Amino acid sequence: MDDRGKGWRKRSRCLGGGSRDACTIFRKAIRVWVGLGFPRQLNTVVDAFQFAMEWCGNSPEQRAAIRACKAALAGDVDAETARGVFAAFVRKKDILVEDGEMPPETAGFRSAHA
């Protein structure tokens, strides 16, 4: 059997059947600010890949995030490696939601109803 067949089997273990989730779901979701300060939760490599592909721009961090997600989907790296690269991308763009953080435009705003 040639190397191509071996590579396909490697990927199919990660992407096929019930084991797919174990290979593509992040241990801890990444949350990013979108739209008018709404958080969006990204739970999987596919979510992160789609977000990075739809992001307007072409920065080195964005390209690295896309490459890392593609590698994770191919089974070449694990989901947590892709998560780390993706997190660096969204942190650089200042859209990473840190635990307990409020949207940037509402930070410091006090509701009259509180």
Side-chain angles (χ1 to χ4, degrees):
M1 187 176 288
D2 64 3
D3 288 338
R4 186 172 155 207
K6 291 177 186 174
W8 180 83
R9 276 200 313 263
K10 178 181 177 185
R11 285 192 298 274
S12 68
R13 278 196 308 261
C14 186
L15 296 178
S19 64
R20 179 178 184 193
D21 292 341
C23 293
T24 62
I25 292 181
F26 297 143
R27 287 189 187 122
K28 181 179 179 185
I30 292 181
R31 294 177 56 189
V32 294
W33 296 118
V34 295
L36 299 171
F38 292 99
R40 176 175 170 192
Q41 185 163 307
L42 307 172
N43 298 307
T44 67
V45 174
V46 172
D47 293 342
F49 176 74
Q50 289 174 338
F51 185 89
M53 290 295 293
E54 292 170 0
W55 183 262
C56 183
N58 190 25
S59 69
E61 297 85 7
Q62 179 183 10
R63 290 191 306 268
I66 291 169
R67 280 192 309 272
C69 289
K70 282 183 180 179
L73 292 171
D76 296 332
V77 300
D78 64 15
E80 293 308 305
T81 300
R83 183 189 185 281
V85 176
F86 182 81
F89 158 58
V90 294
R91 187 175 290 114
K92 177 79 174 181
K93 298 302 175 188
D94 201 28
I95 58 170
L96 178 65
V97 177
E98 302 290 349
D99 291 335
E101 185 178 6
M102 292 184 65
E105 61 273 358
T106 62
F109 175 75
R110 253 194 166 155
S111 172
H113 302 287

